[in-house]
Amino acid sequence: MKWIILFGFVALTVVLPLPDFWIFQLNYIGLYALTCLGLVLLTGITGLTSFGQAAFVGIGAYTTAFLTLNLGISPWMTLGIGLIITALSSIILGLITLRMSGHYLPLATISWGLALYYLMGNLEALGKYDGLLGLKSLAVGEFEIGQGRSFFVLTWIILIASVFCLNNLLDSQVGRAIRSLKSGTQLAEAMGINTFRYKVTVFVLSALLACVSGWLMAHFQRTVNPSAFGLKMGIEYLFMTVVGGVGYVWGALIGAGIIKLLDDQLQVLLPRLIGTSGSYEIIVFGIILVSILKFLPNGLWSLVSRYFPIARRQENWAQADTLPERTMPVKGETVLDVIGITKRFGGLLAVNEVNFQIQAGQIVGLIGPNGAGKSTTFNLITGLLPPSSGEVRFRGELISGHSSREISLKGVARTFQHVKMIPDMTVLENVALGAYARGYSSVFSAMMRLNLSQEQSLFKEAQRQIERIGIRHCMHELAGNLAMGQQRLMEIARALCADPSLLLLDEPAAGLRHKEKIALASVLRQISSEGVSILLVEHDMDLVMEVCENLVVMEFGNLLIQGSPREIQESPLVRAAYLGTEH
Ligand code: ADP
Ligand code: MG
């Protein structure tokens, strides 16, 4: 509904008595906002900082300028060609640069920004630094779109449609996978998400938005030259986005608007105030921008968004189809076979020749003092770390050496000792992410909202696991607002969403109250009765002794002893090494 109003509003502008000057300004704002929208997705949401976005605007602009001027191709055709060229070049650039981390990626974007600028400026065919002149306005048949109201309607409809698609995308399983990338790749890969592919996808999407902006801009200005697409402009796009609110889709519009207006107003106002002309506006501009960032680090939209409370998700999935389920191992099947795994960190032998097995439906406790190597063993089993030697077999299949994503897809789910989650997503959304591999939809269907029935199935499953684990009351809260114990329970629900046959829990009871621990114990028993095997690292001995059928005790990386809880409790070895220090 709100989208219809927005589109209506844009269309209305044609008849509204807005001065031409404002329409002209709004046209520029729309053009800039398109590029900034891509930056919100790339930088704010995915966490990949780019200074080189203007280069893709340049590709869109030069493609249409060159082809319409030299070959007489219709601009509507050149848009498609520009998009193809942008997609190909951004895929190539992305494949090369997106594996870089830390400061290297922004540096790489600076270098391609510079490279494309000099390329545009030095090619004879592109008119060198003078650029290409005399482009035609866009036209539909005889009707010329020009630079005024018609252009405004075209640009802003494209812009609002892009916002619409992006919002849909972000509010989908694919979008949640994209949003998980910002907090590192470990969580996402453990959910079976191909993080690199999504980084490239996001990179291409943002480049395509920039390309559309460039195509529009070329026919709006009717000339193109390299200065509009250089590094300086790349920095300015990033600036607009950050000022508007780099984490918010609507921030792109606010940022582009504020910067464009400030820029213009200062150029008019300052000479009047100071009485001389000079480049003072740049200084004042800088001061204003720095203050905005100082007092509103999340940008201007963060101020506005306070007045728009997040609508609570409607629970409309009761009738949805259930997700496909894995065939569980049969009783007696060896689910996990750890054979002599060893892990060295430099000189430290964190895990040394450890052997143990887990049968279908068994709950095995992995215990030992801090630093014994329990979490490292988890990481070796789940593929987060490669073993130095030894092997891990899951349902008979060799899994050591495989990536954590491949292992998770086979049916091994885990929680982390240090909770990993997306704090600004609700519990429901975080948990649904666990079912990622069970309900995939494409980026396109997410943008077009063709994935509704699938989304409902995912939420239905997420709710089922949330209820099972006993945190129904905080299903719609932001995960970041939960107490530590609840966050751990949320992680278990998320792991269960993956429909695992082996579940690895790293200190799930830490931070839980007594009652919650009792509830957790009964959930674990119920899960195992359904055939799921569990490997449990836990310091709460009452819980461990109560639920585990078998215990594996580690000390200084070595397997000290394994046996039933009773055998372990009676073992003098264990008393000395572990319980002895506690009791
Ligand atoms: P636990 O979970 O049993 O408390 P860990 O598996 O976390 O123990 O750690 C075992 C040992 O390995 C510790 O001495 C720890 O300092 C070391 N260790 C763990 N991870 C790393 C790493 N990534 N690099 C170097 N040393 C590590
Ligand atoms: Mg640990």
Side-chain angles (χ1 to χ4, degrees):
M1 183 62 204
K2 70 177 180 205
W3 297 103
I4 297 171
I5 297 176
L6 271 172
F7 282 115
F9 200 69
V10 168
L12 249 180
T13 323
V14 181
V15 290
L16 280 183
L18 267 179
D20 286 346
F21 172 73
W22 283 102
I23 293 286
F24 190 73
Q25 293 287 50
L26 282 169
N27 286 344
Y28 264 112
I29 293 172
L31 291 173
Y32 291 157
L34 262 177
T35 305
C36 293
L37 200 57
L39 271 174
V40 165
L41 177 65
L42 186 66
T43 302
I45 289 165
T46 318
L48 304 168
T49 306
S50 167
F51 291 99
Q53 220 55 14
F56 295 118
V57 185
I59 292 181
Y62 268 100
T63 304
T64 189
F66 182 83
L67 293 178
T68 52
L69 288 174
N70 294 316
L71 304 178
I73 298 177
S74 146
W76 303 104
M77 282 277 283
T78 62
L79 173 61
I81 300 173
L83 288 172
I84 292 171
I85 295 177
T86 306
L88 290 178
S89 50
S90 60
I91 287 174
I92 293 170
L93 273 173
L95 288 177
I96 298 170
T97 54
L98 291 176
R99 286 197 197 272
M100 299 181 182
S101 56
H103 304 306
Y104 295 105
L105 177 70
L107 286 178
T109 64
I110 289 177
S111 56
W112 91 59
L114 284 174
L116 274 156
Y117 171 73
Y118 286 115
L119 185 70
M120 293 182 244
N122 282 304
L123 280 183
E124 196 77 57
L126 299 184
K128 295 203 158 182
Y129 289 98
D130 295 329
L132 299 170
L133 312 169
L135 272 83
K136 288 207 181 72
S137 288
L138 293 172
V140 183
E142 295 293 292
F143 178 73
E144 198 168 289
I145 292 177
Q147 296 183 313
R149 278 153 212 273
S150 315
F151 187 84
F152 169 84
V153 172
L154 175 66
T155 306
W156 279 75
I157 283 189
I158 293 178
L159 178 63
I160 306 263
S162 308
V163 172
F164 173 75
C165 290
L166 200 55
N167 263 330
N168 286 347
L169 175 67
L170 292 176
D171 182 23
S172 74
Q173 185 77 332
V174 181
R176 289 187 288 276
I178 291 174
R179 284 156 74 186
S180 78
L181 298 178
K182 206 174 160 185
S183 50
T185 55
Q186 282 188 358
L187 165 63
E189 291 278 333
M191 305 288 117
I193 295 165
N194 185 338
T195 53
F196 184 65
R197 203 185 72 199
Y198 275 125
K199 283 184 184 174
V200 175
T201 306
V202 162
F203 189 64
V204 173
L205 284 177
S206 69
L208 292 178
L209 281 167
C211 167
V212 174
S213 164
W215 171 77
L216 283 166
M217 195 181 286
H219 292 284
F220 177 65
Q221 298 181 331
R222 304 181 58 184
T223 110
V224 294
N225 70 69
S227 66
F229 315 116
L231 185 60
K232 181 170 170 289
M233 207 47 216
I235 294 173
E236 216 161 301
Y237 281 124
L238 191 59
F239 224 76
M240 291 181 202
T241 317
V242 172
V243 165
V246 72
Y248 306 95
V249 168
W250 292 106
L253 277 70
I254 299 273
I258 292 283
I259 300 263
K260 176 74 184 133
L261 295 182
L262 258 184
D263 203 12
D264 283 355
Q265 295 303 311
L266 285 177
Q267 282 186 28
V268 180
L269 272 179
L270 272 189
R272 271 194 224 153
L273 286 176
I274 306 176
T276 57
S277 60
S279 296
Y280 294 111
E281 71 269 7
I282 293 185
I283 300 172
V284 178
F285 193 57
I287 294 173
I288 295 179
L289 292 185
V290 171
S291 343
I292 293 181
L293 293 184
K294 167 100 177 74
F295 295 105
L296 284 172
N298 294 325
L300 288 166
W301 186 258
S302 65
L303 197 66
V304 184
S305 67
R306 278 179 215 164
Y307 301 98
F308 290 102
I310 305 164
R312 188 182 161 126
R313 190 180 292 278
Q314 280 194 338
E315 294 172 20
N316 57 356
W317 47 77
Q319 309 304 327
D321 294 340
T322 45
L323 293 173
E325 286 181 4
R326 228 181 278 281
T327 45
M328 283 291 154
V330 289
K331 208 151 181 67
E333 183 182 337
T334 301
V335 174
L336 184 74
D337 198 357
V338 174
I339 310 160
I341 49 163
T342 298
K343 183 68 191 177
R344 280 190 198 83
F345 293 114
L348 177 84
L349 206 50
V351 176
N352 184 21
E353 291 280 338
V354 167
N355 293 287
F356 64 90
Q357 289 190 339
I358 304 182
Q359 315 299 329
Q362 240 185 354
I363 306 184
V364 173
L366 180 60
I367 61 173
N370 272 329
K374 306 179 297 290
S375 293
T376 307
T377 304
F378 260 42
N379 293 341
L380 294 174
I381 295 172
T382 54
L384 216 58
L385 291 170
S388 308
S389 65
E391 58 181 55
V392 181
R393 291 185 171 271
F394 175 66
R395 302 185 75 175
E397 197 182 345
L398 186 72
I399 56 167
S400 44
H402 290 226
S403 70
S404 67
R405 170 160 47 92
E406 290 165 331
I407 294 175
S408 86
L409 293 177
K410 291 181 197 297
V412 180
R414 69 170 294 173
T415 65
F416 294 88
Q417 182 174 353
H418 304 284
V419 175
K420 291 191 196 294
M421 56 175 179
I422 299 118
D424 57 2
M425 279 184 355
T426 65
V427 171
L428 180 73
E429 292 165 337
N430 269 281
V431 171
L433 201 54
Y436 173 81
R438 299 169 71 190
Y440 173 79
S441 61
S442 69
V443 170
F444 178 77
S445 65
M447 282 184 164
M448 294 296 146
R449 275 266 185 272
L450 303 174
N451 58 345
L452 280 185
S453 65
Q454 180 148 58
E455 285 285 294
Q456 290 176 345
S457 299
L458 289 166
F459 285 135
K460 184 177 176 181
E461 173 69 2
Q463 178 175 356
R464 187 167 79 91
Q465 303 299 352
I466 285 171
E467 282 171 354
R468 188 181 197 185
I469 217 81
I471 50 171
R472 174 72 169 93
H473 54 283
C474 44
M475 187 164 94
H476 294 289
E477 275 191 48
L478 294 185
N481 295 346
L482 260 52
M484 183 64 111
Q486 311 287 310
Q487 289 178 348
R488 288 188 179 283
L489 294 177
M490 175 183 79
E491 272 208 317
I492 301 177
R494 186 177 67 201
L496 286 173
C497 258
D499 187 28
S501 18
L502 173 65
L503 181 61
L504 293 91
L505 303 175
D506 202 346
E507 305 197 11
L512 291 193
R513 291 190 219 107
H514 183 64
K515 261 188 168 166
E516 292 171 323
K517 284 184 187 171
I518 294 174
L520 177 64
S522 85
V523 173
L524 293 185
R525 273 194 298 259
Q526 191 218 330
I527 295 169
S528 87
S529 73
E530 289 168 18
V532 180
S533 315
I534 301 176
L535 181 62
L536 175 70
V537 166
E538 184 48 61
H539 284 299
D540 186 311
M541 280 307 132
D542 293 336
L543 179 71
V544 170
M545 295 297 167
E546 193 190 325
V547 299
C548 294
E549 224 174 288
N550 216 334
L551 293 180
V552 176
V553 188
M554 287 181 76
E555 190 195 21
F556 301 125
N558 297 305
L559 194 152
L560 196 63
I561 181 175
Q562 49 182 324
S564 69
R566 157 163 281 187
E567 285 164 350
I568 298 298
Q569 268 171 324
E570 286 170 356
S571 158
L573 260 179
V574 176
R575 268 171 208 273
Y578 184 80
L579 300 174
T581 55
E582 287 211 340
H583 290 274

